[in-house]
Amino acid sequence: MDSRLAIRARGITKCFGDVVALDGVDLEVARGRIHGLAGPNGAGKTTLLGLLLGLAVADSGRLEILGAPVGRAFEVPGGVSGFVDGPGLYPSLTARQNLAALAALRGDATRSARIADALDQVGLTDVADDRTRGFSLGMRQRLGLAAALLTRPRLLVLDEPSNGLDPAGKKHVHGVLTRLADDGTGVVLSSHRMDDLEALCSEVTILAAGRVVFTGPLGELAAENRELDYRLVTSDPERAHRLALDAPGIRLTDDTAGRQGGGALVVRALVPALDDLVVRLVHAGIALRELAPVVSPLEAAFLALTEQPSAGGQEAGRHGAAGSRQEAGR
């Protein structure tokens, strides 16, 4: 038993009839860290979140949450909170009344000041006395997070908490999660939004077809042995194009010889080759105004590890094995 871990899972397997939702999953989440969970639709993310929240039990394997073994009962230790598939709310009650009702169901005589503080943390003070039937998706997500905060969780498990959030709402949610982690709470954040995972998570686990295909620090996914496409905007596109053609390890990636609208150049390279190209541009007196990956390192790794196409707008999870296994929102 490791007191530094909020979650320790070994060989977790879960089936629904003949459908294998989780197949020998290992997972470790440290206290005080935000751990991302990603994968195509049908990869097993919702099933795993359900196990962590006590909504389901594993068929085999060993699961410890907050240092306590989880058995074959539908329960988890105190101090665990969160939601899967969105929070459940009473539409006829106000935001404030929803939190009071949820606290009462848990036998918690939460003071009104604590409810007000939770609403303030997620940026819902101005609508605290509005009925939730009129709330947008993003507002409902924030209210679900406020409900989780009432328990003062030591482990917080969230499913797509940024769904429907505007920039202000996202800022509130990111701030809450960062503060919780700083205070020692372990956070598991499942999301299809790679920008959220990159902004918040120190580590990430990627699932495909019920199995872990990667788990570890985000930096390992951006390792220098993986080629990425980069967009460069310079002060002299034509000269930059000629330099890129002659630079070792640089490939132009499209039918227009790598040039996009607005004088941008798109190249494919390893990090060392890209660094060398930047040095060549500077030595040639060409100003570099923008340099960014076309697809983020996390998204590129996600697509490679889960065998997803990087173009065409196809929905994740349509390929072979992962497409044949159902997550089904359980």
Side-chain angles (χ1 to χ4, degrees):
M1 185 180 301
D2 190 337
S3 61
R4 298 170 300 175
L5 296 178
I7 298 169
R8 180 183 174 90
R10 289 290 182 269
I12 296 296
T13 298
K14 179 65 178 178
C15 300
F16 297 98
D18 59 355
V19 176
V20 181
L22 296 174
D23 189 1
V25 168
D26 293 344
L27 176 68
E28 288 189 357
V29 177
R31 298 174 191 251
R33 295 291 184 91
I34 303 177
H35 193 104
L37 185 63
N41 295 333
K45 302 184 301 297
T46 299
T47 300
L48 180 56
L49 297 180
L51 295 178
L52 300 179
L53 288 170
L55 303 175
V57 294
D59 296 328
S60 62
R62 180 174 178 81
L63 176 62
E64 294 177 2
I65 296 179
L66 299 175
V70 175
R72 294 292 180 259
F74 289 91
E75 61 181 357
V76 291
V80 180
S81 189
F83 56 79
V84 177
D85 289 334
L89 303 172
Y90 298 103
S92 62
L93 299 183
T94 67
R96 194 187 311 275
Q97 289 168 339
N98 262 279
L99 296 188
L102 290 172
L105 287 173
R106 290 193 295 263
D108 179 10
T110 298
R111 293 176 299 175
S112 59
R114 191 161 153 195
I115 291 175
D117 179 64
L119 290 167
D120 180 63
Q121 287 191 61
V122 300
L124 291 179
T125 299
D126 290 345
V127 295
D129 296 310
D130 293 351
R131 298 184 189 278
T132 59
R133 64 162 51 94
F135 277 19
S136 66
L137 172 59
M139 292 166 69
R140 293 197 300 271
Q141 294 291 91
R142 283 192 275 166
L143 185 54
L145 178 56
L149 295 177
L150 290 179
T151 67
R152 295 178 178 172
R154 291 178 290 150
L155 172 63
L156 184 62
V157 179
L158 299 174
D159 186 17
E160 300 287 356
S162 293
N163 260 2
L165 293 183
D166 58 20
K170 180 184 288 192
K171 180 180 179 181
H172 274 107
V173 169
H174 283 200
V176 168
L177 298 183
T178 300
R179 288 192 296 273
L180 284 171
D182 289 344
D183 290 340
T185 297
V187 180
V188 176
L189 173 64
S190 175
S191 180
H192 287 103
R193 304 222 18 182
M194 300 298 147
D195 56 341
D196 280 341
L197 297 181
E198 289 179 314
L200 288 168
C201 301
S202 53
E203 298 182 334
V204 66
T205 293
I206 299 177
L207 294 176
R211 297 180 179 179
V212 174
V213 294
F214 174 85
T215 188
L218 278 172
E220 291 184 9
L221 286 173
E224 297 190 358
N225 62 353
R226 177 177 291 113
E227 284 190 334
L228 291 178
D229 290 349
Y230 295 91
R231 182 175 185 269
L232 293 86
V233 177
T234 69
S235 60
D236 192 334
E238 292 300 326
R239 290 179 61 210
H241 169 242
R242 291 195 295 271
L243 278 173
L245 284 174
D246 295 334
I250 299 292
R251 289 187 289 157
L252 303 180
T253 62
D254 62 15
D255 293 335
T256 60
R259 286 169 289 186
Q260 289 189 337
L265 185 74
V266 178
V267 301
R268 180 170 297 160
L270 297 170
V271 170
L274 182 70
D275 290 343
D276 178 67
L277 175 59
V278 170
V279 172
R280 289 168 180 257
L281 291 171
V282 173
H283 283 173
I286 300 172
L288 185 62
R289 295 172 176 168
E290 180 183 327
L291 172 60
V294 175
V295 176
S296 74
L298 175 56
E299 185 171 353
F302 174 91
L303 293 170
L305 290 168
T306 59
E307 300 177 5
Q308 300 302 304
S310 59
Q314 292 184 322
E315 180 182 352
R318 288 183 180 173
H319 69 92
S324 67
R325 302 188 184 214
Q326 299 175 17
E327 193 170 350
R330 293 185 173 91

